[in-house]
C-alpha cells in the first residue's frame, strides 16, 4: 500500500535549486527524492499488491461486534427504541438529540440513482499480467505500452468490478433483456484506470450527442412511467426504426447476449477504440476484451421472466454466493492491436462504436487475467458509491477520436457531481486511488483530506512551488501528440454510414438455434409495439437490409406482411466470425454450476451420497430440494437436510436436476405437482436432467415428448438430448455422462413447445 511515509517531506528534502545558463536544474538529492515519489513511472515496484486496496479500506471499516451503541459523535446511547417524551403518553420533546440525529440520517441516507446502470452489483479482486504474452510482432508488452500494470507478471493490481443492467431502476429485476455493464476500476500505482465497458462490443449510437435521445426513448414512457427495465414499447422502437446505425446493436440485444446466465459467464468489452502508448511515444490502436473462464452462457426468455418473480436478485445473489463459497471467477484480458495504417485498410471505421474489429481480421491476444475473490462488506458504501469515469487513465493508455467516447469523457465526470452533490466524490474510500494525491483542490462539500500548507495555487513561492509537475520521465501523463487539421463542422464521416454489413456478419455467425432465439426475441419486443408503422419500418427498413429470410420470419410473428424481396441496402457477403457465437464459447467444465437433487423421505442413500460427492468433486454446487424444509430420512436410515423447499425455489434457479432412486421418495414426488413442474420446466428450458433407478418413474409421470429412458433391459446409462438415465447400480458411467451433459449448458435438440410448464 502507498502510504504517506513515501511522500515528500519539505523539512527533510533539499529545497534549493541550482541554475545553469538561466534554467532551473534539479539537484541530485532532489532528483533522487522525486524518483521515490508515488505517481512516477519508475518508483512503485512493490508498492501496490493484491491486498493494497483492502488495507486502505481497513482504515475506514467499522465493526460493531462487542461494542456499545453510540451516536454519530461517539456518545453511548442507553435506549434507541423510545423517543424522549413528556410523560409516558406525552408529546416527544425536541431536545431528544438521538431521535433527531437518527431520523435525519434516515431521511437523507439515499443518493440519486444512476441515470443508466442503476441496477448492479460488484466485487473486489486483482489483475495480474501474463509473464510472456503472445503478442505476435512484439517481443514484450513494453513495446506496446508503458502502463506499469501490464509489465510485471509478479504484480497483482487490486480491482473493483461492477456489473449492471442499463435501463432499469435500482429496484428492477436482474434478468431483463438488456445490455450489461462491465466496469473495472484498477487501483494502479500510477493512479486509477477505469475500463468502463459492456458485455457487448458495440453500442446503439455513433455520437454522444444522441445519447440523451436514446435514453429518453428506451426509459419508461413519460406519460405513464411504463414499462420498467424494458425496450419492448413504442418509444424505443420508434427511435430505433429511424436510426439505421442502431441495427448492429439490435442484433446483439435480441440475441442470448442480453440474457446472461451469470455475470461470471459473460464477456466484457471496452467498446471503444483506445490507444496504447509506449515509452518512445509510439501509438497503436487497441480494443479491450474480457473472456470469462466459465464460458459465455445464456438464460432462455421464459426462464428469465419466471426468475424475475421468484428471485429478482438472481444475478446479484449468484455472484455473491459463488465467491462466498470459495470460487474465484476469472476473466482473461485480451487486446486487439493494430496501427492507424492498418485501420485505414478496414472496410469500416474503427472510430465508429457501432462496429467491431472482427477477430477473423485481428486476433485477440491475451495479456493477463483478472480474478474476483472478495465480496463487499457494505453494498451502499462500495457497490453503490463506486464511481467510474472513462477519463480515468494512466500513462500508456490514451483515447481515440471515437465521438461517443469523447462525449463520455465529459458526461461521466458531470453525472458524478449530480449523484454525490460534490466534486469530492473521488475521496470516498471505494473511489480513492492507492497512489498518493497532491494537488490544489482543497475545498467543497464533504472534503475528507486535511491539506497542509498556505499555498493552494500555482505558481507559488510560499510553498516552494509544490506540488511539482512531473515530466513524462517521472510518470507525468502526456497525451498522444496527434496531428489534427480540420474545420469546425457538425457532420459525420462517410465511413460511419455503413450500417448493415456487420449486422449481417453477426446474423451469419449465429447457429440455427441462436437465429431462432433472435427471431423469437423480435416477436416479443415488436409484438409489444402498438403502432403498425413502427413494426413495418423495423422489418422493411432494417431487418430486410440484414437478411431477407430473417425479415420474413420476424414479420410473420408480428402481424406484418413479409417483404417479397431483399432490401436495397442488404449486403451480399456471406462472411462469418465464429467468435461471435455463444455456442462456440462453452468450456468443458461444470465448476460453479448449481444442481438440484429432488428427494423426499425414503430416498436412495447411496445415490444421493455418490451424486453429491461426484458433482462437488467436479466443482458444482449441489442443493437438496424437497417439498418442505427439514431432515429427510433415507431408505437405509441415513438423514439429509433439505436446503430448499418447493415454496422457496424452482428449476429456474438451477442449471440441472438429479432425481435419485428410492421407491418411497419417488412415489411421493410423483404425487407432488411442484416436483413434476420442476422436471417439466427443466426440460422446457433445455437443461440437463438425470434420473437414477426408480427416479425414472418421475420422468415418465411427466408428459414429456418421446425421450428414451433406461429400463431393466438397458445396458448402462442412456443419454439423449441431455436426459441421462440409468438402472445400473454402478453410477460411475451415468454420472460421467451427466457431467458432460451439464458442461454443454443447454440441449437445444429438444422439442419443448408442447410441454405444459
Amino acid at each position: 500500500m502507498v502510504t504517506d511515509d513515501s511522500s515528500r517531506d519539505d523539512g527533510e528534502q533539499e529545497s534549493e535549486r541550482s541554475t545553469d545558463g538561466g534554467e532551473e536544474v534539479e539537484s541530485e538529492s532532489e532528483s533522487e527524492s522525486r524518483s521515490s515519489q508515488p505517481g512516477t513511472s519508475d518508483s512503485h515496484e512493490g508498492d501496490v499488491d493484491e491486498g493494497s486496496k483492502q488495507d486502505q479500506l481497513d482504515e475506514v471499516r467499522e465493526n460493531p461486534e462487542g461494542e456499545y451503541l453510540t451516536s454519530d459523535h461517539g456518545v453511548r446511547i442507553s435506549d434507541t427504541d423510545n423517543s424522549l417524551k413528556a410523560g409516558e403518553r406525552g408529546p416527544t420533546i425536541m431536545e431528544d438529540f438521538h431521535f433527531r440525529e437518527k431520523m435525519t440520517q434516515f431521511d437523507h441516507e439515499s443518493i440519486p440513482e444512476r441515470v443508466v446502470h442503476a441496477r448492479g452489483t460488484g466485487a473486489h479482486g486483482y489483475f495480474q499480467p501474463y509473464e510472456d504474452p503472445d503478442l505476435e510482432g512484439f517481443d514484450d508488452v513494453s513495446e506496446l505500452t508503458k502502463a506499469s500494470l501490464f509489465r510485471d507478471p509478479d504484480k497483482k493490481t487490486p480491482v473493483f468490478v461492477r456489473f449492471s443492467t442499463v435501463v432499469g431502476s435500482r429496484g428492477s429485476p436482474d434478468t431483463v433483456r438488456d445490455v450489461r455493464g462491465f466496469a473495472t476500476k484498477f487501483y494502479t500505482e500510477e493512479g486509477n484506470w477505469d475500463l468502463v465497458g459492456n458485455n457487448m462490443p458495440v453500442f446503439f449510437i455513433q455520437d454522444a450527442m444522441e445519447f440523451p435521445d436514446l435514453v429518453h426513448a428506451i426509459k419508461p414512457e413519460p406519460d405513464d412511467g411504463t414499462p420498467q427495465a424494458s425496450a419492448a414499447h413504442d418509444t424505443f422502437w420508434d427511435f430505433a426504426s429511424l436510426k439505421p446505425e442502431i441495427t448492429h446493436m439490435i442484433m446483439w440485444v435480441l440475441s442470448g447476449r442480453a440474457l446472461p446466465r451469470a455475470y461470471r459467464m459473460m464477456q466484457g468489452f471496452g467498446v471503444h477504440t483506445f490507444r496504447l502508448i509506449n515509452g518512445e511515444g509510439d501509438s497503436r490502436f487497441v480494443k479491450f476484451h474480457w473472456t470469462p473462464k466459465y464460458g459465455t452462457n445464456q438464460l432462455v426468455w421464459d426462464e428469465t421472466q419466471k426468475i424475475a418473480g421468484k428471485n429478482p436478485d438472481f444475478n446479484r445473489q449468484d455472484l455473491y454466493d459463488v465467491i462466498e463459497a470459495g470460487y474465484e471467477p476469472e476473466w482473461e484480458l485480451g487486446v486487439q492491436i493494430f496501427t492507424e495504417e492498418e485501420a485505414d485498410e478496414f472496410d469500416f471505421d474503427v472510430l465508429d462504436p457501432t462496429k467491431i474489429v472482427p477477430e477473423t481480421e485481428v486476433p485477440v491476444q491475451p495479456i493477463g487475467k483478472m480474478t474476483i475473490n472478495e465480496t463487499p462488506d457494505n453494498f451502499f458504501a462500495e457497490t453503490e458509491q463506486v464511481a467510474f469515469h472513462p477519463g480515468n487513465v494512466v500513462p500508456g493508455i490514451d483515447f481515440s477520436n471515437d465521438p461517443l467516447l469523447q462525449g463520455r469523457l465529459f458526461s461521466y465526470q458531470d453525472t458524478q457531481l449530480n449523484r454525490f452533490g460534490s466534486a469530492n466524490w473521488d475521496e470516498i474510500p471505494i473511489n480513492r486511488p492507492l497512489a498518493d494525491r497532491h494537488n490544489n483542490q482543497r475545498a467543497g462539500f464533504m472534503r475528507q483530506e486535511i491539506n497542509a500548507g498556505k499555498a493552494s495555487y500555482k505558481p507559488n513561492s510560499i510553498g516552494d512551488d509544490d506540488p511539482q509537475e512531473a515530466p513524462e520521465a517521472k510518470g507525468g501523463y502526456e497525451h498522444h501528440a496527434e496531428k489534427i487539421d480540420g474545420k469546425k463542422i457538425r457532420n459525420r464521416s462517410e465511413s460511419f454510414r455503413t450500417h448493415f454489413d456487420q449486422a449481417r456478419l453477426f446474423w451469419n455467425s449465429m447457429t440455427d438455434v441462436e437465429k431462432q432465439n433472435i427471431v423469437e426475441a423480435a416477436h416479443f419486443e415488436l409484438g409489444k409495439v402498438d403502432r403498425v408503422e413502427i413494426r413495418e419500418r423495423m422489418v422493411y427498413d432494417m431487418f430486410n437490409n440484414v437478411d431477407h429470410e430473417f425479415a420474413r420470419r420476424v414479420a410473420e410473428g408480428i402481424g406484418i406482411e413479409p417483404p417479397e424481396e431483399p432490401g436495397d441496402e442488404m449486403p451480399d457477403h456471406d462472411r462469418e466470425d465464429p467468435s461471435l457465437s455463444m455456442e462456440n464459447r462453452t468450456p468443458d467444465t461444470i465448476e460453479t454450476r448449481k444442481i438440484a437433487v429432488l428427494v423426499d423421505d425414503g430416498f436412495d442413500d447411496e445415490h444421493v451420497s455418490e451424486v453429491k460427492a461426484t458433482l462437488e468433486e467436479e466443482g458444482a454446487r449441489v442443493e437438496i430440494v424437497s417439498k418442505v424444509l427439514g431432515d429427510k430420512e433415507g431408505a437405509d436410515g441415513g438423514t439429509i437436510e433439505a436446503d430448499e423447499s418447493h415454496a422457496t425455489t424452482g428449476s429456474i434457479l438451477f442449471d440441472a436436476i438429479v432425481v435419485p432412486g428410492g421407491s418411497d421418495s419417488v412415489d411421493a414426488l410423483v404425487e407432488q405437482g411442484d416436483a413434476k413442474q420442476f422436471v417439466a420446466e427443466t426440460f422446457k428450458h433445455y437443461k440437463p436432467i438425470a434420473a437414477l433407478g426408480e427416479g425414472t418413474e418421475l420422468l415418465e409421470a411427466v408428459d414429456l415428448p418421446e425421450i428414451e429412458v433406461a429400463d431393466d433391459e438397458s445396458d448402462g446409462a442412456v443419454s439423449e438430448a441431455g436426459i441421462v438415465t440409468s438402472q445400473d447400480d454402478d453410477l460411475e458411467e451415468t454420472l460421467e455422462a451427466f457431467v458432460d451433459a451439464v458442461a454443454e449448458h443447454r440441449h437445444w435438440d429438444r422439442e419443448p413447445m408442447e410441454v405444459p410448464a
Side-chain angles (χ1 to χ4, degrees):
M1 176 180 173
V2 177
T3 67
D4 289 339
D5 293 337
S6 62
S7 62
R8 182 168 181 259
D9 186 337
D10 289 337
E12 298 178 3
Q13 306 295 338
E14 182 177 325
S15 61
E16 295 293 327
R17 293 183 176 82
S18 60
T19 60
D20 184 9
E23 296 183 0
E24 285 193 334
V25 179
E26 280 189 327
S27 68
E28 185 175 346
S29 62
E30 186 170 5
S31 174
E32 291 174 354
S33 165
R34 295 200 186 280
S35 70
S36 66
Q37 296 284 320
T40 63
S41 62
D42 58 355
S43 65
H44 293 284
E45 299 304 321
D47 284 346
V48 170
D49 62 27
E50 175 187 359
S52 295
K53 187 61 185 178
Q54 295 299 324
D55 291 342
Q56 187 192 56
L57 292 175
D58 280 343
E59 298 175 10
V60 293
R61 285 192 170 106
E62 178 269 341
N63 189 337
E65 186 175 351
E67 301 291 348
Y68 286 108
L69 178 70
T70 74
S71 72
D72 288 341
H73 303 277
V75 177
R76 290 184 179 179
I77 300 300
S78 60
D79 184 344
T80 194
D81 294 327
N82 299 288
S83 56
L84 188 66
K85 306 179 186 69
E88 288 184 350
R89 302 180 69 248
T92 298
I93 299 174
M94 286 304 295
E95 73 180 62
D96 188 347
F97 64 85
H98 177 50
F99 168 79
R100 285 185 283 113
E101 178 185 87
K102 184 177 179 180
M103 190 58 66
T104 300
Q105 284 281 356
F106 173 72
D107 290 343
H108 295 266
E109 68 184 18
S110 65
I111 61 175
E113 70 176 29
R114 293 165 169 86
V115 177
V116 287
H117 298 278
R119 172 74 180 184
T121 195
H124 294 275
Y126 64 89
F127 171 79
Q128 186 171 16
Y130 290 147
E131 184 169 2
D132 187 20
D134 179 9
L135 298 171
E136 291 192 341
F138 304 97
D139 294 330
D140 187 81
V141 72
S142 62
E143 294 183 30
L144 288 173
T145 178
K146 58 187 176 182
S148 66
L149 82 157
F150 296 130
R151 298 206 309 261
D152 182 358
D154 294 325
K155 180 175 288 297
K156 295 181 178 180
T157 299
V159 300
F160 187 84
V161 187
R162 186 175 186 271
F163 306 103
S164 56
T165 57
V166 175
V167 178
S169 67
R170 273 194 298 230
S172 58
D174 279 345
T175 56
V176 295
R177 179 180 296 282
D178 199 358
V179 191
R180 297 305 191 277
F182 193 129
T184 308
K185 187 180 290 291
F186 298 79
Y187 302 97
T188 88
E189 60 198 11
E190 297 175 304
N192 287 354
W193 173 38
D194 292 353
L195 182 55
V196 194
N198 290 329
N199 75 323
M200 301 180 192
V202 291
F203 202 64
F204 297 89
I205 52 176
Q206 295 175 327
D207 194 302
M209 181 71 86
E210 304 169 281
F211 195 72
D213 299 299
L214 166 67
V215 175
H216 290 168
I218 204 169
K219 283 285 191 176
E221 296 187 1
D223 55 346
D224 61 5
T226 65
Q228 174 60 246
S230 173
H233 55 99
D234 282 38
T235 58
F236 172 71
W237 289 101
D238 181 39
F239 175 85
S241 68
L242 299 169
K243 282 279 185 185
E245 71 196 68
I246 208 171
T247 310
H248 189 196
M249 184 64 171
I250 290 297
M251 302 301 291
W252 284 80
V253 171
L254 294 178
S255 78
R257 301 279 186 158
L259 308 173
R261 159 61 184 89
Y263 291 133
R264 68 184 185 282
M265 295 178 185
M266 67 184 194
Q267 285 180 276
F269 303 90
V271 179
H272 308 288
T273 299
F274 290 87
R275 292 180 183 272
L276 292 180
I277 312 293
N278 65 18
E280 286 69 48
D282 300 323
S283 164
R284 294 173 182 85
F285 283 140
V286 61
K287 290 275 194 178
F288 293 108
H289 295 245
W290 291 113
T291 301
K293 169 186 176 181
Y294 296 128
T296 306
N297 298 306
Q298 68 167 91
L299 300 169
V300 297
W301 182 236
D302 180 68
E303 188 179 22
T304 65
Q305 296 176 86
K306 293 173 178 176
I307 291 173
K310 199 79 169 183
N311 184 3
D313 304 308
F314 178 72
N315 292 135
R316 176 183 293 184
Q317 182 180 345
D318 177 84
L319 183 70
Y320 185 93
D321 287 349
V322 163
I323 296 174
E324 289 294 304
Y327 299 95
E328 297 187 347
E330 296 175 357
W331 286 261
E332 195 168 60
L333 180 62
V335 292
Q336 289 177 294
I337 303 294
F338 48 97
T339 64
E340 295 191 43
E341 292 73 24
E342 290 169 329
D344 290 340
E345 298 298 317
F346 297 148
D347 60 359
F348 55 90
D349 196 323
V350 299
L351 301 183
D352 179 353
T354 68
K355 304 296 189 294
I356 61 169
V357 176
E359 293 186 38
T360 52
E361 298 194 33
V362 181
V364 174
Q365 308 293 332
I367 61 172
K369 181 178 68 176
M370 178 174 71
T371 302
I372 57 175
N373 57 6
E374 189 161 348
T375 56
D377 285 316
N378 183 280
F379 184 88
F380 179 84
E382 295 168 82
T383 306
E384 188 64 23
Q385 288 199 127
V386 70
F388 296 94
H389 177 24
N392 288 345
V393 292
V394 294
I397 302 171
D398 207 338
F399 315 110
S400 73
N401 294 333
D402 176 338
L404 180 62
L405 172 60
Q406 292 285 315
R408 292 178 74 200
L409 298 179
F410 164 78
S411 177
Y412 277 67
Q413 175 78 11
D414 191 51
T415 198
Q416 307 307 346
L417 298 177
N418 177 61
R419 288 191 66 224
F420 294 100
S422 169
N424 291 321
W425 58 269
D426 53 351
E427 292 195 57
I428 292 171
I430 192 63
N431 296 320
R432 191 176 182 87
L434 290 171
D436 274 5
R437 309 185 330 157
H438 303 288
N439 54 48
N440 292 318
Q441 279 77 264
R442 300 194 173 191
F445 288 119
M446 307 306 292
R447 184 70 176 175
Q448 304 294 304
E449 287 182 338
I450 299 175
N451 306 99
K454 289 182 177 294
S456 57
Y457 53 90
K458 286 186 71 69
N460 72 77
S461 63
I462 293 175
D464 203 19
D465 207 26
D466 286 333
Q468 296 289 309
E469 292 104 329
E472 185 176 5
K474 296 297 182 183
Y477 189 91
E478 290 285 344
H479 290 270
H480 175 59
E482 180 185 11
K483 182 179 179 181
I484 302 294
D485 184 16
K487 298 178 180 179
K488 290 186 291 186
I489 184 172
R490 288 191 189 273
N491 206 343
R492 203 168 295 188
S493 170
E494 279 296 321
S495 59
F496 276 43
R497 300 187 188 279
T498 56
H499 303 309
F500 304 112
D501 278 7
Q502 291 203 353
R504 182 169 178 79
L505 172 70
F506 185 82
W507 174 258
N508 290 343
S509 303
M510 299 294 102
T511 64
D512 289 343
V513 168
E514 289 173 312
K515 288 180 178 179
Q516 182 61 28
N517 288 343
I518 291 172
V519 170
E520 291 175 1
H523 288 168
F524 178 87
E525 294 285 318
L526 291 170
K528 290 284 190 176
V529 173
D530 292 331
R531 292 168 175 80
V532 175
E533 65 272 18
I534 296 175
R535 285 179 266 149
E536 289 177 337
R537 284 200 301 266
M538 287 304 304
V539 169
Y540 283 88
D541 298 349
M542 296 182 70
F543 294 159
N544 202 35
N545 283 315
V546 174
D547 183 88
H548 180 55
E549 183 60 28
F550 169 48
R552 290 186 60 85
R553 289 166 67 181
V554 172
E556 289 167 355
I558 60 171
I560 299 299
E561 188 69 26
E564 296 182 359
E565 300 291 336
D568 294 338
E569 298 180 68
M570 192 186 88
D572 59 5
H573 73 75
D574 291 315
R575 295 195 302 272
E576 299 179 12
D577 183 344
S579 71
L580 300 179
S581 170
M582 296 176 72
E583 293 298 292
N584 294 328
R585 294 183 171 276
T586 301
D588 187 20
T589 179
I590 69 168
E591 189 171 315
T592 73
R593 297 287 185 172
K594 191 175 178 183
I595 301 174
V597 179
L598 303 186
V599 303
D600 211 309
D601 289 326
F603 63 85
D604 187 308
D605 299 68
E606 186 175 346
H607 283 182
V608 172
S609 176
E610 196 163 344
V611 164
K612 280 180 63 68
T614 300
L615 297 180
E616 289 175 351
E617 185 176 347
E618 292 287 337
R621 297 173 290 158
V622 180
E623 292 193 353
I624 304 299
V625 177
S626 192
K627 181 178 180 179
V628 295
L629 297 176
D631 288 341
K632 304 298 162 187
E633 186 173 341
D636 293 336
T639 60
I640 191 167
E641 185 177 356
D643 299 298
E644 296 281 357
S645 70
H646 291 311
T648 61
T649 195
S651 75
I652 51 177
L653 305 181
F654 292 89
D655 294 294
I657 65 170
V658 179
V659 185
S663 297
D664 290 346
S665 174
V666 174
D667 287 347
L669 294 175
V670 168
E671 297 299 318
Q672 296 167 11
D674 286 334
K676 288 189 283 189
Q677 171 79 1
F678 220 101
V679 172
E681 208 168 42
T682 301
F683 182 89
K684 185 172 184 175
H685 296 152
Y686 308 97
K687 298 175 185 178
I689 301 172
L692 313 175
E694 296 93 343
T696 58
E697 296 174 16
L698 180 59
L699 270 59
E700 293 170 349
V702 178
D703 189 15
L704 299 179
E706 285 191 20
I707 294 288
E708 184 180 358
V709 175
D711 56 25
D712 293 336
E713 305 297 321
S714 301
D715 184 16
V718 174
S719 181
E720 181 182 358
I723 310 296
V724 181
T725 57
S726 175
Q727 298 293 339
D728 199 329
D729 290 336
D730 184 358
L731 297 182
E732 183 176 354
E733 177 193 357
T734 305
L735 292 178
E736 184 177 321
F738 182 62
V739 167
D740 291 341
V742 176
E744 287 187 43
H745 182 57
R746 303 280 171 170
H747 294 267
W748 302 110
D749 51 343
R750 295 180 188 166
E751 297 293 337
M753 297 307 295
E754 297 180 6
V755 176

